[in-house]
Amino acid sequence: MVYFNYLYNKGDKLMNNKSYTEISQGVKLLCVNSDKFKTNCIKVDFYLPISEYFPAQNVLASFMGHTSKKYSTVKAFNSKVEGMYDACFDTTVSTIGEKVRIRFSMEILDDKFSIDGNSISEEAVDFLVDILQNPNAAENGFDEGFTAREIRFTLENLEAMKNDKRAYAVSRLRELMCKDEPYGIDNKKLEEGVKNLDSKQLLDAYKNMLETATVVITACGSIDGEMLTEKFKTFADKIENRNPAHLETIFVTKADEIKYFKEEMDVNQAKLVIGLRAGMEDSNDNYFAYRVMTDIFGGGPYSRLFLNVREKMSLCYYCGARLVREKGIILIQSGIEEENYEKALGEILNQLDIMKKGEFTDEDFNSSIIALCDAFKGVEDSPVAVCNFYSSQEFDEEIVSGEEFAKRIGAVTREQVIECAKKVTVDTVYLLKGEGEKND
């Protein structure tokens, strides 16, 4: 078991039209300047360790996406957003490895299209800063009415996930496979935690976010970097007791034994999910080779799983694999008929053995390289895609372009792919099966 610590030692970097700098303690700004788009994008990400605050953080993200002290009603809040030339604003909470990411996103019209000559981007930044430092709260807690409303919305979203059987099966696999790791979030405890929240706990979670999060601001378009730096530095400097928490992720490099689980639910099509330990010691450990290996194994329609388990043997409705780089895990998802469970599982593991033995074809290898290179070369086609791509590299050893990603993918060899495959071990097999003739 290896602990990989995320450290901030990049320093300031200039990457052609990209600037990366630390504007305050634990507050990073990455600007990608371009005048080829009609819109600009800004994302403000707060990264924290997975902790007891997680239920409140789920509600907090929703709450702050609908109201603030200045815009205290949904109508006023939405009117302000729409008034910025019908901007798009969104808040989300997700986990990246064993980090929680609370994200505030805006996509706005480029300043050159402003009718009155005012800066749309500056108005958007002012709006973001305002809702971040002035939430709809008093000294003793967040607004009671909105708190109850957002708790209800969050519980409805959690319930909706249960109805998405494919997502639910992956969530259960994660919970069972990583039950002794922060990554293995207990969904029942999460739901119970949300139910028992009050406005004071929500305020505590908000203060914890400001005081202990690592903040990453990513902007793409023709936004003034100096303006962004000044406004977010002023915002950060006003936060008292600022002390960013240490972020770390547990990487389990090998499974000692295979764990098997079966559950029943109102489904017609069974869901088979398999969790593999990739053998990675951290998120940068042979990443490009692992990415190619996973893609050959279960990426696109050219992959071993698709061509053999689905097409040739007709053992499933879908079958694919993806690498969870931030945790060193490979997830295999498949929709099957329950009676095909043993055959499908056996053939999936057989295809993994083929990868380990290097018995995949040159066509398999080349198809994957071409597909991945094409995908990475196209990551800078929109401001939102640019922000997503570069912000995802914040905890990497270095920040590189899509073209450079493609170049490194193209440099991966068959031998490297085979060596990565040999390190993979099967950890957990989970089957969600039906209770009878019921609809999925």
Side-chain angles (χ1 to χ4, degrees):
M1 188 175 290
V2 179
Y3 291 83
F4 178 69
N5 300 329
Y6 293 104
L7 303 175
Y8 286 86
N9 56 7
K10 290 190 184 78
D12 293 353
K13 294 184 178 182
L14 290 176
M15 301 160 288
N16 298 324
N17 63 329
K18 308 168 189 72
S19 61
Y20 180 90
T21 186
E22 182 171 6
I23 61 176
S24 185
Q25 183 186 17
V27 181
K28 304 285 183 173
L29 172 64
L30 173 60
C31 279
V32 183
N33 296 112
S34 175
D35 58 4
K36 71 176 183 178
F37 302 118
K38 295 180 179 179
T39 59
N40 297 328
C41 181
I42 309 168
K43 293 184 183 292
V44 185
D45 296 332
F46 291 80
Y47 289 97
L48 302 119
I50 296 175
S51 69
E52 69 276 8
Y53 287 106
F54 190 57
Q57 289 162 348
N58 276 265
V59 178
L60 181 65
S62 181
F63 189 110
M64 296 181 70
H66 294 130
T67 181
S68 68
K69 186 175 288 294
K70 186 174 183 180
Y71 307 102
S72 59
T73 67
V74 173
K75 182 179 180 180
F77 194 92
N78 290 341
S79 177
K80 173 59 182 176
V81 174
E82 292 169 3
M84 289 183 282
Y85 293 86
D86 205 20
C88 294
F89 174 72
D90 189 31
T91 58
T92 59
V93 60
S94 57
T95 56
I96 312 295
E98 288 173 352
K99 302 183 294 295
V100 177
R101 183 185 69 192
I102 303 174
R103 166 169 282 183
F104 301 82
S105 304
M106 286 202 78
E107 187 175 11
I108 52 177
L109 197 65
D110 190 271
D111 286 346
K112 61 178 171 281
F113 297 108
S114 173
I115 296 174
D116 54 13
N118 292 331
S119 173
I120 306 169
S121 58
E122 185 168 5
E123 183 180 2
V125 173
D126 286 339
F127 171 76
L128 278 170
V129 170
D130 181 65
I131 65 171
L132 290 173
Q133 66 184 11
N134 297 306
N136 192 356
E139 289 185 6
N140 59 342
F142 272 54
D143 179 271
E144 294 280 358
F146 267 102
T147 297
R149 175 181 182 270
E150 298 301 338
I151 287 174
R152 186 176 72 253
F153 285 170
T154 303
L155 289 173
E156 289 173 355
N157 289 334
L158 292 174
E159 187 63 31
M161 188 195 73
K162 293 180 186 178
N163 295 327
D164 182 346
K165 302 305 189 297
R166 188 168 175 174
Y168 174 79
V170 172
S171 176
R172 283 292 288 146
L173 181 282
R174 169 178 171 171
E175 183 178 342
L176 294 164
M177 179 176 174
C178 304
K179 66 182 182 65
D180 296 323
E181 305 158 42
Y183 188 72
I185 295 169
D186 187 320
N187 290 293
K188 289 184 179 178
K189 288 184 178 179
L190 171 60
E191 187 174 346
E192 196 63 28
V194 172
K195 285 180 181 177
N196 294 325
L197 276 176
D198 59 35
S199 60
K200 173 62 167 58
Q201 291 171 311
L202 207 57
L203 180 61
D204 290 342
Y206 165 74
K207 291 179 178 178
N208 174 263
M209 180 184 78
L210 292 189
E211 293 169 5
T212 68
T214 292
V215 186
V216 180
I217 303 126
T218 311
C220 175
S222 58
I223 299 177
D224 184 348
E226 291 185 3
M227 178 269 293
L228 276 170
T229 300
E230 177 185 345
K231 290 184 181 293
F232 278 104
K233 186 178 188 311
T234 300
F235 160 70
D237 289 346
K238 288 181 179 178
I239 302 172
E240 298 180 1
N241 305 315
R242 177 92 175 119
N243 185 24
H246 183 64
L247 299 171
E248 67 178 13
T249 292
I250 300 171
F251 280 79
V252 179
T253 57
K254 183 180 180 181
D256 296 324
E257 61 178 353
I258 303 176
K259 303 185 288 288
Y260 294 89
F261 298 93
K262 292 183 180 181
E263 290 183 349
E264 294 185 353
M265 191 178 275
D266 247 358
V267 297
N268 195 25
Q269 181 191 109
K271 311 298 179 187
L272 172 60
V273 189
I274 306 169
L276 314 175
R277 300 288 185 178
M280 298 174 70
E281 295 192 353
D282 59 57
S283 61
N284 294 301
D285 182 11
N286 286 309
Y287 164 63
F288 295 98
Y290 271 110
R291 183 67 183 266
V292 175
M293 186 275 293
T294 306
D295 196 64
I296 296 171
F297 177 49
Y302 44 79
S303 70
R304 302 292 310 181
L305 293 182
F306 184 91
L307 291 176
N308 292 278
V309 185
R310 183 185 186 276
E311 295 294 291
K312 183 178 179 180
M313 302 183 72
S314 299
L315 291 173
C316 60
Y317 297 98
Y318 62 87
C319 191
R322 66 181 177 91
L323 174 66
V324 184
R325 175 188 183 183
E326 299 83 7
K327 183 62 180 168
I329 287 173
I330 296 172
L331 293 178
I332 303 169
Q333 299 182 59
S334 181
I336 63 173
E337 294 293 341
E338 186 182 333
E339 59 266 27
N340 288 334
Y341 167 67
E342 296 291 347
K343 289 182 180 179
L345 175 59
E347 186 55 34
I348 289 170
L349 298 183
N350 176 53
Q351 292 301 322
L352 180 59
D353 285 338
I354 286 174
M355 295 298 301
K356 291 174 180 285
K357 295 173 184 176
E359 294 177 355
F360 53 89
T361 68
D362 288 339
E363 184 180 0
D364 295 335
F365 179 79
N366 292 330
S367 294
S368 177
I369 294 291
I370 292 170
L372 287 173
C373 286
D374 286 346
F376 281 119
K377 287 177 181 177
V379 296
E380 300 189 21
D381 288 342
S382 74
V384 173
V386 170
C387 282
N388 287 337
F389 176 70
Y390 284 102
S391 63
S392 71
Q393 298 182 60
E394 168 54 28
F395 298 97
D396 293 355
E397 291 176 335
E398 58 181 324
I399 295 175
V400 299
S401 68
E403 289 285 343
E404 179 61 25
F405 253 73
K407 181 180 178 181
R408 296 183 187 189
I409 288 289
V412 171
T413 65
R414 282 183 61 97
E415 290 70 25
Q416 290 174 318
V417 168
I418 296 168
E419 286 305 308
C420 287
K422 286 179 178 178
K423 294 179 182 179
V424 175
T425 53
V426 183
D427 188 297
T428 304
V429 176
Y430 172 81
L431 177 69
L432 180 65
K433 60 181 184 177
E435 299 173 318
E437 295 183 2
K438 300 173 182 177
N439 293 326
D440 191 354

